[in-house]
Amino acid sequence: MPAIGVFDSGVGGLTVLNALRARWPGEHFIYLADTARLPYGSKSLHTISQYVEQCIAFLRNYDLKAVVVACNSASTALLERPMKSDVPIFNVVEPGARKAVEVSSGKRIGVLGTRATVFSEAYVRAIHRLQADTEVFQQPCPLFVPLVEEGWLDDPVTNLIVYRYVSAVVRNNIDTLIMGCTHYPALRAAIAKAAGPEIQLVDSAHGLIEDLTRIQPLEAKGGGKTQILCTDFSPRLEETIRLLLGPTPIDSLETVDI
Ligand code: DGL
């Protein structure tokens, strides 16, 4: 049975993989973490586009029914430079923007993201395409990715850093906040605490599930498989992967050269 390829620069896309697996436990997922070149979010869109093309081309060596680009920085690059492909390629920016517009009550949306995502303004454009009179306030959070890669999800240092970035965007009276990097849902508890109970948090994985459902019927009954591939391996990486994936078994964990 063809698999669903999922890719991110590191472990952040596992937050997306978790959501997809919970929805379709019978599917076979192949997750590629480009850990040798992480982070993407501090690089230029030109460089990120090259990485995205290489990662998708590598995943296409497997029998796939879809590719999910579970990285906002990579999705941003893909939206700027779309790729031709005979299997559908899904990004996480458009579904995140759509969900935010759906839940926003006051048309004031905040976006947390990497520098690449924020400077590309991909969310601003995607939100304005759906609802032109929405005000969008962006905040780059370059320290979040290393905290997640380190597995510091619940730590006083993490709470302090999260508070500093989140309070800077909440100051704009936003009603909705997009976690515009797939690493950030791993910090959801800290982000929610810093944002306060009035602000709706948006995880693009939810919109992505709707997009996948629209395109193809997927296997909702159990028995699926999870294969993890990474371009650089360390025991620490494996610990963080297991921390983020929780109790679900990993069928294989391999290092690959793309
Ligand atoms: N998970 C990636 C994203 O959604 C960011 C990680 C990185 O900077 O490589 O943008």
Side-chain angles (χ1 to χ4, degrees):
M1 182 176 81
I4 299 174
V6 180
F7 115 84
D8 179 38
S9 55
V11 298
L14 296 174
T15 63
V16 176
L17 180 65
N18 276 338
L20 297 178
R21 265 195 339 190
R23 175 69 184 78
W24 293 294
E27 284 295 332
H28 174 190
F29 292 99
I30 301 178
Y31 181 91
L32 172 65
D34 192 9
T35 39
R37 300 188 290 195
L38 172 98
Y40 279 14
S42 54
K43 301 198 167 70
S44 68
L45 283 185
H46 176 74
T47 300
I48 301 171
S49 288
Q50 288 176 337
Y51 293 173
V52 173
E53 278 175 21
Q54 289 162 4
C55 288
I56 293 179
F58 177 80
L59 276 171
R60 295 306 323 278
N61 292 321
Y62 297 81
D63 182 20
L64 298 182
K65 63 172 98 170
V67 174
V68 172
V69 178
C71 171
N72 287 262
S73 314
S75 293
T76 295
L78 187 70
L79 286 167
E80 297 263 320
R81 234 167 86 176
M83 265 181 82
K84 284 207 181 76
S85 164
D86 50 352
V87 296
I89 303 179
F90 294 85
N91 71 82
V92 283
V93 168
E94 286 169 324
R98 191 179 69 243
K99 276 278 131 189
V101 168
E102 271 169 33
V103 301
S104 171
S105 52
K107 298 185 182 174
R108 296 180 74 82
I109 298 178
V111 180
L112 304 176
T114 63
R115 287 209 167 98
T117 298
V118 165
F119 294 154
S120 76
E121 305 227 311
Y123 271 105
V124 182
R125 282 195 298 279
I127 291 168
H128 285 160
R129 269 198 299 276
L130 298 165
Q131 199 164 260
D133 59 345
T134 299
E135 292 213 63
V136 185
F137 304 91
Q138 302 194 93
Q139 175 63 45
C141 309
L143 295 179
F144 282 8
V145 168
L147 290 170
V148 175
E149 293 286 326
E150 192 55 29
W152 288 15
L153 310 185
D154 181 18
D155 187 281
V157 171
T158 305
N159 289 333
L160 207 63
I161 294 171
V162 167
Y163 181 78
R164 180 152 177 180
Y165 286 130
V166 171
S167 58
V169 70
V170 162
R171 214 171 281 146
N172 297 298
N173 273 331
I174 54 166
D175 55 77
T176 301
L177 183 57
I178 301 176
M179 295 182 282
C181 167
T182 54
H183 281 70
Y184 301 176
L187 302 175
R188 188 184 183 108
I191 294 173
K193 196 151 56 160
E198 306 294 312
I199 293 179
Q200 299 272 356
L201 286 189
V202 172
D203 176 347
S204 48
H206 301 135
L208 174 71
I209 284 178
E210 291 170 4
D211 289 358
L212 273 155
T213 311
R214 221 172 291 131
I215 300 242
Q216 48 197 330
L218 298 174
E219 191 45 70
K221 293 204 186 78
K225 204 168 131 185
T226 300
Q227 246 177 294
I228 311 259
L229 315 172
C230 55
T231 53
D232 184 63
F233 178 80
S234 67
R236 178 72 193 169
L237 175 71
E238 183 170 355
E239 261 176 52
T240 309
I241 289 174
R242 292 194 187 275
L243 172 73
L244 291 177
L245 278 183
T248 323
I250 299 171
D251 294 282
S252 67
L253 175 55
E254 295 165 54
T255 309
V256 293
D257 188 357
I258 63 171

